[in-house]
Amino acid sequence: MPLSPLITLSGVNKVYPLKGGPFYALRNINLVIEPGEFVSIMGPSGSGKSSLLHLLGLHDSAWSGEYTLLGEKVHQLDQKRRLDLQKKHLGFVFQSYHLLDDLTIYENLEVPLSYRNVPRRERESIVCDMLDSFAMVAKRDLFPNQLSGGQQQLVGIARALIAKPSLLLADEPTGNLHSDQGREIMRLFAKLNRDGTTIVQVTHSDENASYGTRTVRLADGMIVG
Amino acid sequence: MWQDLCFSFRLLTRQPGFAFIAILAIGIGIGQATTTFNSFSALVLRPLPHMEDEDNVVYLEQVQAKAPDTRLNLSLPDFLDVRARSQTLDRPTILMSRTLIIGTGDRPIRLYGTSISAEGFAMLGVKPHRGRLFHPDEDAPGAAAVVLLSHRTWRQHYGGREDLVGKAITINGAEVTVVGIMPPGFGFPENSDAWMPFINSEKDYPRGNHSFPVYARLKPGVTLDAAQAELQVISQTLAQQYRETNDGISISVQRLRVATTADIRLLMHLTLGAVLCVLLIACANVANLLLAKAVDRHHEVAIRIALGASRGRIIRQLLTESLVLGLLGGLVGLVLAVWDNALIIGTIPVDLPYWMNFDFDWRVFAFAAAAAIISSLIFGLAPALQITRNIALELKEGGRGGVGSPRAQRLRQLLVIGQVALATLLLIGAGLMVRSYLKIQNADLGFDPRNLLTFRVGLPPTQFTDKAQVRRFFAQLTPALAAIPGVEAAGAASMLPSNGIGLNAFSIEGRPRPPTLGEHPFAVAREITPGYLQTLRIPLLRGRDISVTDTIDQPRVLLVDQAFIDRWFPGEEVLGRRLNFGDHDTPEDWATIVGVVGTVPQRLEANVPGFNVYSAVDQQTNYFLTYAIRVQGDPLSYATAAQRAVISVLPGIPIYTVQTMERSLLMSYWHRKFFGRVFASYGLVALFLASLGIYGVMTYTVSQRTQELGVRMALGAQPQDVLRLVGRQGLWLVGTGLGIGLVAALALTRLMSSFLYGVSPSDPPTYFVLSFVLAAIGLLACWLPARRATRIAPMASLRGS
C-alpha cells in the first residue's frame, strides 16, 4: 500500500497588499513531498524560498490555498491546532542558528521538550542522549557564544531533532558556515535522511542541493522547476 | 515554572543596570504604598487591643438638626435616659476625663484619669491583668472609692508591686483602694493612666451640657439600624419632654471604629489614593523599560515560538520575569517601608492613642506581597502582549517587528503621558497641602505665640470642695508666677486659643429669649485671670480689661472680641450691653460687657472665626486653668520654676501638659504639616519617576532615529534643527500629560477642600507654579537626549546602520 504524502500544497498564494497593487511572494504553489524525501528549495534572492519554508513550518498563517500536512488540512485549522501540529511534527533549523544566548547548550536542547510538557526526568534523559549522539557532552554547560559557528549549528540541528519531528525544515543551514563546516552539516543531514527523517532545506548552493533527493526551483514566487 | 524562575534570575544578573533601576522604581513605589497601608491598617483594620467583638461596640453622639456636621457628646441626663429606656444597647457606658493626683508635697504627680461607668470594662470585654474590674454597684453615690491602674502606672509609679491590688493609695487627697491592674498597653479611651467609677450626679451636669462620650454594645442579634431607629424614638421623646434643651437634637450611633477614625478617614483614603498613583507611575516606568528591552527580547521570543512555545506560554515566562522583578522590588520596598515608617512615626508630635500600633504585622507583609504581584502584572502584561504580537515571521525577516513598531512606540508614549498626568495630579495635591500649611503657619493668630510657656494646673473638685479656696488659689498663683525672675507677664484661661472650643448659648438683654437651646446665639466663652490679655498680647480695643477687683461679690463683667460684635451686634455699641450665659433669668446670671478686645480665631485648622467672650475667673469657679507665662529666653527652662511657684501657693499640686505655646499651636494643626510632608514626598517621587520615564522614552526614540538624524545632518541639518525635531516630540508628551493632569487635579482636589486652609482647591498660584516646574523638568529630561542627538557624527551613524 503506497504511503500518503507528507505534505501537499495546492494553489497556495501569499500576497502582500501594497499601494501599487498586490505583491505575490508565493503564487499558485502546488507541491507534494513524500515521507523520506530530502528536498532542496532553490532560487534567486526574493524568489519566495524562505516564505515557502516558513509557510511549511507553520510560522505564517497569512496565506491562501490548501495545505495538508500528514493528512491534516492545515488551512482549516485554527491557530491553536496549527501550533499543536507544529509542535508534534516539525523541527526547524535556522541559518543564524538562533540559539538562546542566555541558556546553556543543555538548556537550549531542553527548551522544545519543556514546551511539549515532557516530564523533567524524561527531558534529562532525552537531552543527554542527544548530547551524546552529537558528541557534545563536554559542552553541555557552555553558552552558545562559547562555541564556533559550526558547533552552534550542530546544537541548532540537535535542538530541531530533539522532539523527534516527522519533518526537518532548514533555512540555509550552512549559510553562515565556512565550506568544511558546511559539508559536515550536509553530511549529517544526509545521514539523518537515510535514517528516515524527511528534510526540506532552502539553499543557494548546488553542492548542498546535491545531498538531497529532489530540488524545487522558485522564481518570482512560482515553482519553475 | 522553576525553569522560568531560574531564567528570570539569570537575565537580571546579566542586566544589572536595568535590574537596579527597575527594582528601585518598584521598591520606592511599594515602599511608600506599604508605609501608607500600614497607617491605614493601624487606623482601620487591626482589631482594637484587649476588646472583645469590637464590631458590636458602638459610640453615641448627639446631632443638631440645624448643624448636622457638628457632633456633640451626650449630656449626662440624656445618657441616663438612654440607659433607662434602650432595649437594643447593652450596658451603655459614660466617660469623663479626670485629673488624678498622686504623690504629695513637693513631688506631686498628675495621672490622666478617666471616670467610667462601673460596667464599662465588662461591656468592652476587657480582662484585668491583676485583680478585678469594677463591681456593678461601685458607681453608686456613696460607694467605697476604688481605682483600676494602667499597667504602665503600676510599673512606673508603684514598681509593679504584686501586693498593690487590694491596698489603698492616695488619690486627690483621699484613700482609694486599688482593685485591679489593666493589661499592658491598655489605655481606653486613649491613654488613660487610671480609671475610677463614674458617680452619677445629675445636679452638677445639666441637660444642655454635652460633655460626655458614651459607648455601648449592641445586644445580641441587634443591628446598628435597629439601634439607630430606637435611639431616634428616644430622641423624639426627649425633645418633647425637654423642649428647651433637646428640640431638634437627635442621638446617632456609629460603630466604635468608625467614630474613632471619622476625622482622619477621608485624609487616609486620599493618601492611599495618592500613594497608589506613585505606585502606578513606578509601574509605568518599569513597563517602559521592559518595552525598551523588548527590542532585545523579541528575537529570543521568536525563536521560542518557532521551537513550539505557545503565545500563552511565552507570556507566562515574561510575566514570571516581571514577577521576579516585582518581588525583588517588594523586598526593597519593605526595607524602605521599615525606614519610612520609623521616620513618619518620629514626626508625629502628639501622643498616639493606645490602640494605634504602627508596628508591622502580617497584614503589612501580605499587602507588600500583593502589591508586588499586582504591580508585576500591571507593568509586565502590556510589554508581554506587545512582545508576542505578530512574531511568527520575525526570524525570517530578521526585523524587530512589534516592539519597534508605531503601535509599540505609541504605547510607550501613552505610558509617559500617564506618568506625567499622575505626577501633575500628585504635585498639585501636595502643593495645595503645603501651601495650606504655610498659610496656617503664617496666619494672624490675634496674639503673639512666641516666648510663651503654657501648662495646666488645678484643684480636683472631689478634694477641694470649698470654692472660695479654689478662687483664692488662682488669685495667689497668678502674681506668684509673674514674680518669677525672667517672667514678663502671667495669666490664665479656662482654655487657650486653638486648644479646642466650647460653644455656649446665651441670651441678649432687650431681645426675646429663644424658646429652645438650638435657637440661641452661641459664642466661645472662656474665663480668664487678670493679666491674660497682656500675657498673650491680645489688644484691648475699647473699654477696660478684667481686673483683680472683678470678684465673686461684684457685678459680672464680660469682654467680647470684634468678631463677636460683627456677628451679634453689627453697627451697635456693645459697651454696657448685658448678656446671660446662665440657665436662669436671675440677676446674678446677667453680665455687662465692659471691654472690646482683638479677635482671636478659634480652631485655626477649621478656619472658625472668634465670637469670643471672656469673663473673670474670680466671678466663676474654675477648678482647672491653663496658664501662659511670657518669658525671656527658652520658655521650657521656666517649667521647674513654675512648678515651684505652684507648690509655694499650695503644696501637692502638679502642673502638667507643659509646653510652649508654639508647640501647643502646632499640636492643633500638626496633621497638616504631617500630611503636607507625606504628599510632598509623594509628589517629588512622582516627579522624579515621571522625569525618568520621559528621559527613557526620549533616549530610546533618539537611539531609534540615529540613522535618520545622521542622514538629516549629512544633508545639512543644524544642531538646533535636530534639537527642535526631537524636542517637539518631548514637548508634546509633557504638554499632553500636563494638560490631563491639570484637568484631573481640578476635578479631584475638591475632595481635599475640607483639609485646606486659606487655599482653594483650584488655587491659581499652585497650579501655575507647579505646572511650570513640571514642564521645566520634563523638558530638561527631553533636552538631554535631544542634545546627544545633535552630537551624532553622520558618518558613524550611517556606517553603524
Side-chain angles (χ1 to χ4, degrees), chain B residues 325-361:
Chain B
L325 264 184
L327 290 175
L328 289 173
L331 277 179
V332 170
L334 262 180
V335 173
L336 291 176
V338 169
W339 173 74
D340 200 19
N341 194 46
L343 196 72
I344 280 181
I345 304 308
T347 60
I348 297 176
V350 295
D351 290 333
L352 295 169
Y354 79 98
W355 54 268
M356 218 181 271
N357 179 4
F358 286 92
D359 294 339
F360 282 10
D361 68 353

Side-chain angles (χ1 to χ4, degrees), chain B residues 470-487:
Chain B
V470 177
R471 286 194 293 273
R472 218 165 32 246
F473 168 73
F474 288 120
Q476 291 170 1
L477 180 56
T478 308
L481 290 166
I484 296 170
V487 172

Side-chain angles (χ1 to χ4, degrees), chain B residues 8 12 113 121 132 175 223 263 281 288 293 300 337 375 396-397 428 430 446 521 588 616 647 666 728 771 800:
Chain B
S8 305
L12 288 184
F121 289 128
R132 62 169 174 85
E175 295 283 291
T223 65
D263 292 343
I281 292 175
N288 242 334
K293 295 300 294 176
E300 171 214 328
S375 299
K396 178 188 149 237
E397 290 163 2
I428 299 281
E588 54 271 23
I647 289 170
L666 177 65
R728 199 182 302 143
S771 299

Side-chain angles (χ1 to χ4, degrees), chain A residues 59 87 98 102 107 115-116, chain B residues 10 299 304 307-308 392:
Chain A
H59 294 160
K87 279 201 284 192
H98 288 327
D102 293 313
E107 288 166 335
Y115 292 147
R116 286 157 177 81
Chain B
R10 190 182 301 168
H299 182 68
R304 287 182 181 273
L307 294 177

Side-chain angles (χ1 to χ4, degrees), chain B residues 523-767:
Chain B
V524 178
R526 49 168 54 94
E527 296 80 47
I528 60 172
T529 64
Y532 174 78
L533 296 182
Q534 295 93 313
T535 305
L536 266 70
R537 294 183 178 157
I538 297 170
L540 178 68
L541 303 177
R542 293 201 303 282
R544 71 167 178 89
D545 191 0
I546 300 285
S547 81
V548 289
T549 59
D550 294 316
T551 51
I552 189 81
D553 50 357
Q554 295 297 312
R556 304 288 169 87
V557 293
L558 291 174
L559 307 177
V560 297
D561 69 6
Q562 191 58 47
F564 177 88
I565 296 171
D566 295 342
R567 177 68 182 84
W568 303 115
F569 293 92
E572 294 182 46
E573 176 52 73
V574 293
L575 292 180
R577 300 291 294 268
R578 298 208 311 159
L579 309 177
N580 184 349
F581 278 87
D583 298 323
H584 310 290
D585 199 11
T586 58
E588 54 271 23
D589 281 329
W590 287 94
T592 306
I593 300 172
V594 298
V596 177
V597 301
T599 300
V600 176
Q602 300 304 316
R603 284 179 60 192
L604 283 174
E605 79 279 13
N607 217 356
V608 177
F611 310 165
N612 288 297
V613 174
Y614 302 91
S615 57
V617 160
D618 239 6
Q619 294 186 328
Q620 316 277 331
T621 302
N622 285 79
Y623 288 93
F624 295 93
L625 291 178
T626 304
Y627 266 88
I629 58 175
R630 184 167 292 283
V631 300
Q632 296 164 349
D634 176 18
L636 288 175
S637 65
Y638 288 81
T640 311
Q643 174 66 80
R644 272 203 300 268
V646 171
I647 289 170
S648 73
V649 175
L650 189 58
I653 300 301
I655 64 172
Y656 53 94
T657 323
V658 182
Q659 58 191 348
T660 66
M661 176 61 95
E662 285 167 314
R663 182 173 169 80
S664 168
L665 285 171
L666 177 65
M667 303 271 275
S668 69
Y669 58 82
W670 70 270
H671 60 286
R672 288 179 187 285
K673 186 178 180 182
F674 174 76
F675 283 103
R677 273 187 188 167
V678 168
F679 270 78
S681 74
Y682 294 167
L684 290 175
V685 168
L687 180 62
F688 171 72
L689 290 175
S691 309
L692 211 62
I694 299 168
Y695 177 79
V697 163
M698 293 312 296
T699 302
Y700 177 76
T701 304
V702 167
S703 73
Q704 291 288 90
R705 296 176 72 178
T706 300
Q707 187 192 0
E708 173 209 334
L709 296 175
V711 171
R712 284 177 184 273
M713 293 183 77
L715 294 175
Q718 296 299 305
Q720 60 267 30
D721 297 323
V722 173
L723 209 57
R724 204 176 302 125
L725 192 71
V726 177
R728 199 182 302 143
Q729 188 185 359
L731 196 65
W732 182 81
L733 292 178
V734 174
T736 310
L738 195 60
I740 295 171
L742 287 175
V743 171
L746 275 171
L748 292 175
T749 49
R750 285 174 204 294
L751 294 171
M752 302 169 70
S753 55
S754 60
F755 301 107
L756 300 179
Y757 174 86
V759 179
S760 87
S762 54
D763 180 50
T766 305
Y767 279 66

